[in-house]
């Protein structure tokens, strides 16, 4: 059959039973209101050993960020240059926002730089203690 199609390489054939998919019903949808208050964001570049999982560092950031930490996303991995052998730099984008901003927007407030800076310092301290992570400078 592949020779008859004359595709010039490997091919994949896939059959999808649309009736079976339709029987599952429509996909569940979740909607969250758009927060009225702006987030405060910080980027964090950490040098860690190659054996430290990015997911473990992300979880530690979330845990240390506590209720103010709305989102953590890894956006860069770098090796070489000034990074020591056996290590890598992981960069994370961290979003802080009053946790009431989603559920009870009328009770929410904009976070101050001072409180975000204090919480972010706790995050840096926590990943340093847990993984020996250092800030990439």
């Amino acid at each position: 059959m592949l020779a008859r199609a004359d595709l010039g390489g490997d091919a994949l054939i896939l059959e999808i039973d649309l009736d079976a998919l339709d029987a599952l019903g429509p996909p569940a949808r979740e909607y969250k209101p758009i927060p009225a208050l702006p987030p405060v964001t910080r980027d964090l570049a950490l040098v860690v050993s190659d054996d430290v999982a990015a997911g473990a560092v992300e979880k530690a950031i979330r845990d240390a960020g506590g209720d103010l930490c709305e989102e953590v996303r890894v956006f860069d991995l770098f090796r070489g240059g000034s990074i020591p052998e056996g290590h890598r730099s992981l960069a994370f984008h961290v979003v802080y926002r009053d946790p009431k901003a989603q559920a009870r927007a009328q009770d929410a407030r904009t976070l101050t730089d001072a409180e975000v800076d204090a919480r972010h310092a706790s995050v840096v301290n926590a990943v340093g203690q847990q993984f020996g992570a250092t800030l990439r400078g």
Side-chain angles (χ1 to χ4, degrees):
M1 186 158 134
L2 182 61
R4 283 188 302 185
D6 193 28
L7 297 175
D10 294 338
L12 175 70
I13 297 175
L14 177 70
E15 182 177 334
I16 299 175
D17 185 345
L18 296 177
D19 291 330
L21 284 177
D22 192 42
L24 295 174
R29 290 185 172 92
E30 285 187 35
Y31 298 97
K32 293 181 184 176
I34 298 172
L37 299 174
V40 179
T41 61
R42 298 284 188 274
D43 288 341
L44 178 62
L46 301 166
V47 177
V48 296
S49 175
D50 279 337
D51 63 349
V52 174
V57 178
E58 180 179 327
K59 182 181 182 322
I61 292 170
R62 285 184 192 281
D63 291 347
D67 63 340
L68 299 184
C69 183
E70 180 177 279
E71 178 185 351
V72 178
R73 181 175 32 90
V74 65
F75 69 88
D76 187 46
L77 181 147
F78 176 76
R79 286 189 175 91
S82 63
I83 308 300
E85 182 79 23
H87 290 73
R88 68 184 190 269
S89 170
L90 296 172
F92 295 88
H93 182 71
V94 185
V95 177
Y96 297 96
R97 191 185 326 246
D98 184 336
K100 297 175 192 165
Q102 293 273 350
R104 297 183 319 271
Q106 69 277 8
D107 298 331
R109 62 184 180 75
T110 301
L111 300 176
T112 67
D113 281 336
E115 64 189 320
V116 172
D117 289 345
R119 187 65 60 101
H120 198 67
S122 296
V123 166
V124 172
N125 185 45
V127 294
Q129 288 181 351
Q130 284 182 269
F131 305 108
T134 58
L135 290 174
R136 181 176 170 196

